Amino acid sequence: MKSFRYIEGVASITVDRQKCVGCAMCVNVCPHQVIQLHDKKANVVDRDGCMECGACATNCPVEAISLTPGVGCASLIINRCLKKRNINTTGCC
Amino acid sequence: MAEVAASEDNKEFAPGTIIELADLDEPVDDEVCCGGAPAPKSNPFEKPGYKLQPYVRAIIKDKHVDVALVKTELDRSDHWGALSTRLGFNRNDYKVAPGLYGVGKPDADSEVLVTANYKLTFDIVRKELGGLNCWLLVLDTCGINVWCAAGKGTFATSELVERLQTTRLAEKVNHRRLIVPQLGAVGVASHTVRLQSGFRVIYGPVRATDIRAFLQNNLQVTEKMRSVSFTLRERFILIPVEINNFSRKIWWIFPVLFLLSGISTSIFSLEAAWQRGFAISIAVLSGGLLGTVVAPLLLPWIPGRSFSLKGTITGIIFGVIGVQILTMLSILEMFSVILITTAISSYLCMNFTGSTPYTSPSGVEKEMKLAIPLQAIAVLIGAVLWLISPFV
């Protein structure tokens, strides 16, 4: 997906290299090849390619990856805001 | 009587026997010719209150629960279902029963593929499995595809572990491997599945079209199999639903637009209501089509990273061209039309972020904070200009 790039400098992904055991599960599940193993440790090589889906963090057995996972969907965010203000909405995506 | 006979028929088959449903069809000899030939007699697997689905090819008898073996060719009803779902009809209730299915002649050594119970997903998967022997474990994702269900938490560790228990899969296979589509990884924690069920999760390719190559390649994925794509075709098939969502929300606006457009120096003018109402309705509709069709299709070629910006650029370009065509507009009305078309196009294109496989929630939030106030101001100014233009 090098042909599609979204807004830069916002992705919240970080890897705790101390905790990382180098199992490479994160490398396997990332749909955008954001993570690679360097010296048997996970390394974020394309931060701006990260869509924060959370697959890597979910599948990390030692909780070495932290990010704010979620669905990048404007109508979802709008619906949440409206709900907070007690405005009824129909479903989103 | 018929039910007794059916259950006796059932008893004849030992566990593990595969019964091809086509072999059970008994043509009915019918001499009376009224109304065409009758349907074949019901087979023993048709139960009162249940429907034997047309995609079931055969049944494997089992001590506990029989397993349905599915066809790997899609028929006309599958294609019709897919089409109407793509167009947005019955989209939220297009599902198959969750549980264990089989393909070909699966045995205790066959691989287990895990998928969602959205029928569109189910069909896309089984279509790719012609000639293979495997199990298909369908999770209850409430009729949602794998990736969206994983994001919504229905394609999840707990559902997978529960489904393994209810289907007694461990008794059916000798191995402890599950092939889960990679995009399901958002909802499935492989280490937890192993801990709770003993099964090892192997993440397979993103697309069903790569399953065969993946199985032949000793369950190894290539980088291409692991990457998501968003081709013109993949964007194109999303469009009917985008249009459908938009039109469902917006239809009430048109009578309002015609009414407001009639306000003039003579209090209310029917002629103005018709002419100006027509023009502003075209502007709103164009904004809708630009944001749901044109910008999504041209996505990679429109400059800018944020979707609201892409929608804005599309809106301005086509808005400016549009007002040249609608020749009866005054200068104020022209500005109004461009502003409103652009704001709608920008807003709807921004909402397309939910349909793409690469936008991050942090990014969407960032662009929305800037875009929504601007879109609201543009609509407001556009509306004011439209209302005051007859008086200037």
Short mmCIF file of all heavy atoms in Angstrom, two decimals, chain A residues 10-42:
data_model
loop_
_atom_site.label_atom_id
_atom_site.label_comp_id
_atom_site.label_asym_id
_atom_site.label_seq_id
_atom_site.Cartn_x
_atom_site.Cartn_y
_atom_site.Cartn_z
N VAL A 10 0.96 11.12 13.12
CA VAL A 10 -0.10 11.01 14.13
C VAL A 10 -0.18 9.63 14.79
O VAL A 10 -0.69 9.50 15.89
CB VAL A 10 -1.49 11.36 13.54
CG1 VAL A 10 -1.61 12.82 13.24
CG2 VAL A 10 -1.79 10.53 12.31
N ALA A 11 0.34 8.61 14.11
CA ALA A 11 0.15 7.24 14.60
C ALA A 11 0.75 7.06 15.99
O ALA A 11 1.83 7.55 16.29
CB ALA A 11 0.77 6.24 13.63
N SER A 12 0.00 6.34 16.86
CA SER A 12 0.36 6.28 18.27
C SER A 12 1.18 5.04 18.63
O SER A 12 1.40 4.77 19.80
CB SER A 12 -0.93 6.30 19.10
OG SER A 12 -1.79 5.26 18.68
N ILE A 13 1.64 4.28 17.63
CA ILE A 13 2.28 3.00 17.93
C ILE A 13 3.69 3.16 18.52
O ILE A 13 4.48 3.96 18.04
CB ILE A 13 2.34 2.12 16.66
CG1 ILE A 13 2.97 0.77 16.97
CG2 ILE A 13 3.10 2.81 15.54
CD1 ILE A 13 2.83 -0.24 15.85
N THR A 14 3.95 2.42 19.62
CA THR A 14 5.32 2.35 20.15
C THR A 14 5.61 0.91 20.58
O THR A 14 4.73 0.19 21.01
CB THR A 14 5.52 3.25 21.39
OG1 THR A 14 4.52 2.91 22.36
CG2 THR A 14 5.42 4.72 21.06
N VAL A 15 6.88 0.51 20.44
CA VAL A 15 7.31 -0.83 20.83
C VAL A 15 8.28 -0.70 21.99
O VAL A 15 9.22 0.09 21.94
CB VAL A 15 8.00 -1.56 19.66
CG1 VAL A 15 8.46 -2.95 20.10
CG2 VAL A 15 7.05 -1.67 18.48
N ASP A 16 8.01 -1.49 23.04
CA ASP A 16 8.93 -1.53 24.17
C ASP A 16 9.96 -2.63 23.88
O ASP A 16 9.68 -3.82 24.04
CB ASP A 16 8.13 -1.85 25.45
CG ASP A 16 9.02 -1.83 26.69
OD1 ASP A 16 10.25 -1.93 26.53
OD2 ASP A 16 8.46 -1.71 27.80
N ARG A 17 11.14 -2.22 23.46
CA ARG A 17 12.15 -3.20 23.03
C ARG A 17 12.66 -4.05 24.19
O ARG A 17 13.21 -5.13 23.99
CB ARG A 17 13.30 -2.49 22.32
CG ARG A 17 12.89 -2.02 20.91
CD ARG A 17 13.96 -1.18 20.27
NE ARG A 17 15.19 -1.93 19.97
CZ ARG A 17 15.40 -2.62 18.86
NH1 ARG A 17 14.46 -2.66 17.93
NH2 ARG A 17 16.53 -3.25 18.66
N GLN A 18 12.51 -3.53 25.41
CA GLN A 18 12.91 -4.32 26.59
C GLN A 18 12.02 -5.55 26.72
O GLN A 18 12.48 -6.64 27.00
CB GLN A 18 12.78 -3.48 27.87
CG GLN A 18 13.68 -2.25 27.90
CD GLN A 18 15.14 -2.65 28.09
OE1 GLN A 18 15.45 -3.46 28.93
NE2 GLN A 18 16.02 -2.07 27.26
N LYS A 19 10.71 -5.35 26.53
CA LYS A 19 9.75 -6.44 26.71
C LYS A 19 9.76 -7.41 25.53
O LYS A 19 9.44 -8.58 25.69
CB LYS A 19 8.34 -5.88 26.86
CG LYS A 19 8.00 -5.28 28.22
CD LYS A 19 6.51 -4.97 28.24
CE LYS A 19 6.09 -4.18 29.47
NZ LYS A 19 4.72 -3.68 29.33
N CYS A 20 10.07 -6.90 24.34
CA CYS A 20 9.93 -7.69 23.11
C CYS A 20 10.75 -8.98 23.18
O CYS A 20 11.91 -8.97 23.57
CB CYS A 20 10.37 -6.86 21.90
SG CYS A 20 10.30 -7.78 20.35
N VAL A 21 10.09 -10.10 22.79
CA VAL A 21 10.78 -11.39 22.80
C VAL A 21 11.11 -11.86 21.38
O VAL A 21 11.60 -12.97 21.19
CB VAL A 21 9.94 -12.47 23.52
CG1 VAL A 21 9.85 -12.19 25.00
CG2 VAL A 21 8.53 -12.57 22.91
N GLY A 22 10.80 -11.01 20.39
CA GLY A 22 11.19 -11.33 19.02
C GLY A 22 10.42 -12.47 18.38
O GLY A 22 10.92 -13.16 17.50
N CYS A 23 9.15 -12.66 18.77
CA CYS A 23 8.37 -13.78 18.22
C CYS A 23 7.86 -13.49 16.81
O CYS A 23 7.43 -14.39 16.10
CB CYS A 23 7.20 -14.12 19.13
SG CYS A 23 5.88 -12.89 19.12
N ALA A 24 7.86 -12.21 16.44
CA ALA A 24 7.47 -11.78 15.08
C ALA A 24 5.98 -11.90 14.79
O ALA A 24 5.57 -11.79 13.65
CB ALA A 24 8.27 -12.53 14.02
N MET A 25 5.16 -12.13 15.79
CA MET A 25 3.72 -12.16 15.53
C MET A 25 3.25 -10.81 14.96
O MET A 25 2.42 -10.75 14.06
CB MET A 25 2.95 -12.44 16.83
CG MET A 25 2.71 -13.91 17.12
SD MET A 25 2.29 -14.90 15.70
CE MET A 25 0.53 -14.70 15.65
N CYS A 26 3.76 -9.71 15.51
CA CYS A 26 3.37 -8.38 15.04
C CYS A 26 3.71 -8.19 13.56
O CYS A 26 2.94 -7.62 12.80
CB CYS A 26 4.02 -7.29 15.89
SG CYS A 26 5.80 -7.49 16.07
N VAL A 27 4.89 -8.73 13.18
CA VAL A 27 5.30 -8.62 11.78
C VAL A 27 4.31 -9.39 10.90
O VAL A 27 3.93 -8.94 9.83
CB VAL A 27 6.73 -9.19 11.60
CG1 VAL A 27 7.19 -9.05 10.17
CG2 VAL A 27 7.70 -8.51 12.55
N ASN A 28 3.88 -10.56 11.39
CA ASN A 28 2.96 -11.40 10.62
C ASN A 28 1.59 -10.78 10.42
O ASN A 28 0.96 -10.96 9.40
CB ASN A 28 2.76 -12.75 11.32
CG ASN A 28 4.02 -13.59 11.27
OD1 ASN A 28 4.86 -13.39 10.40
ND2 ASN A 28 4.15 -14.49 12.22
N VAL A 29 1.09 -10.09 11.44
CA VAL A 29 -0.31 -9.64 11.35
C VAL A 29 -0.47 -8.24 10.78
O VAL A 29 -1.58 -7.85 10.42
CB VAL A 29 -1.02 -9.70 12.73
CG1 VAL A 29 -1.11 -11.14 13.22
CG2 VAL A 29 -0.35 -8.81 13.75
N CYS A 30 0.61 -7.46 10.70
CA CYS A 30 0.45 -6.07 10.23
C CYS A 30 0.08 -6.04 8.75
O CYS A 30 0.79 -6.57 7.91
CB CYS A 30 1.74 -5.29 10.44
SG CYS A 30 1.58 -3.61 9.83
N PRO A 31 -1.06 -5.41 8.41
CA PRO A 31 -1.48 -5.37 7.00
C PRO A 31 -0.69 -4.37 6.16
O PRO A 31 -0.85 -4.32 4.95
CB PRO A 31 -2.96 -4.99 7.08
CG PRO A 31 -3.11 -4.28 8.38
CD PRO A 31 -2.06 -4.81 9.31
N HIS A 32 0.14 -3.55 6.81
CA HIS A 32 0.88 -2.54 6.06
C HIS A 32 2.40 -2.66 6.23
O HIS A 32 3.13 -1.70 5.95
CB HIS A 32 0.41 -1.14 6.46
CG HIS A 32 -0.99 -0.85 6.02
ND1 HIS A 32 -1.35 -0.72 4.71
CD2 HIS A 32 -2.13 -0.72 6.73
CE1 HIS A 32 -2.65 -0.49 4.62
NE2 HIS A 32 -3.15 -0.49 5.84
N GLN A 33 2.87 -3.78 6.73
CA GLN A 33 4.32 -4.01 6.90
C GLN A 33 5.01 -2.84 7.61
O GLN A 33 6.04 -2.34 7.19
CB GLN A 33 5.00 -4.24 5.53
CG GLN A 33 4.79 -5.64 5.00
CD GLN A 33 3.44 -5.77 4.32
OE1 GLN A 33 3.12 -4.98 3.45
NE2 GLN A 33 2.66 -6.73 4.72
N VAL A 34 4.40 -2.42 8.70
CA VAL A 34 4.90 -1.28 9.46
C VAL A 34 6.06 -1.72 10.36
O VAL A 34 6.94 -0.93 10.68
CB VAL A 34 3.73 -0.68 10.28
CG1 VAL A 34 4.23 0.21 11.38
CG2 VAL A 34 2.79 0.07 9.36
N ILE A 35 6.04 -3.01 10.77
CA ILE A 35 7.03 -3.49 11.74
C ILE A 35 7.96 -4.51 11.09
O ILE A 35 7.52 -5.32 10.27
CB ILE A 35 6.33 -4.15 12.96
CG1 ILE A 35 5.27 -3.20 13.53
CG2 ILE A 35 7.34 -4.52 14.03
CD1 ILE A 35 4.42 -3.83 14.61
N GLN A 36 9.25 -4.42 11.44
CA GLN A 36 10.21 -5.45 11.01
C GLN A 36 11.04 -5.87 12.21
O GLN A 36 11.14 -5.12 13.18
CB GLN A 36 11.14 -4.88 9.93
CG GLN A 36 10.55 -4.89 8.54
CD GLN A 36 11.46 -4.26 7.51
OE1 GLN A 36 12.62 -3.97 7.79
NE2 GLN A 36 10.91 -4.03 6.33
N LEU A 37 11.63 -7.05 12.13
CA LEU A 37 12.53 -7.48 13.21
C LEU A 37 13.95 -7.02 12.88
O LEU A 37 14.46 -7.28 11.79
CB LEU A 37 12.52 -9.00 13.35
CG LEU A 37 11.36 -9.69 14.07
CD1 LEU A 37 11.76 -11.09 14.46
CD2 LEU A 37 10.89 -8.92 15.28
N HIS A 38 14.56 -6.32 13.84
CA HIS A 38 15.98 -5.99 13.73
C HIS A 38 16.65 -6.53 14.98
O HIS A 38 16.21 -6.23 16.10
CB HIS A 38 16.18 -4.46 13.66
CG HIS A 38 15.75 -3.88 12.35
ND1 HIS A 38 15.58 -2.52 12.15
CD2 HIS A 38 15.43 -4.47 11.17
CE1 HIS A 38 15.17 -2.31 10.91
NE2 HIS A 38 15.07 -3.46 10.30
N ASP A 39 17.70 -7.32 14.85
CA ASP A 39 18.38 -7.93 15.99
C ASP A 39 17.38 -8.64 16.90
O ASP A 39 17.42 -8.47 18.12
CB ASP A 39 19.16 -6.89 16.81
CG ASP A 39 20.13 -6.10 15.95
OD1 ASP A 39 20.69 -6.70 15.02
OD2 ASP A 39 20.32 -4.89 16.20
N LYS A 40 16.46 -9.39 16.31
CA LYS A 40 15.45 -10.15 17.06
C LYS A 40 14.56 -9.28 17.93
O LYS A 40 14.04 -9.72 18.95
CB LYS A 40 16.11 -11.24 17.90
CG LYS A 40 16.80 -12.30 17.03
CD LYS A 40 17.26 -13.45 17.86
CE LYS A 40 17.82 -14.54 16.94
NZ LYS A 40 18.47 -15.60 17.69
N LYS A 41 14.41 -8.02 17.57
CA LYS A 41 13.49 -7.14 18.29
C LYS A 41 12.60 -6.43 17.26
O LYS A 41 13.06 -6.07 16.17
CB LYS A 41 14.27 -6.06 19.06
CG LYS A 41 15.16 -6.61 20.17
CD LYS A 41 14.38 -6.86 21.43
CE LYS A 41 15.28 -7.44 22.52
NZ LYS A 41 14.53 -7.87 23.69
N ALA A 42 11.34 -6.23 17.64
CA ALA A 42 10.42 -5.54 16.73
C ALA A 42 10.81 -4.07 16.62
O ALA A 42 11.19 -3.43 17.60
CB ALA A 42 9.00 -5.66 17.25
#
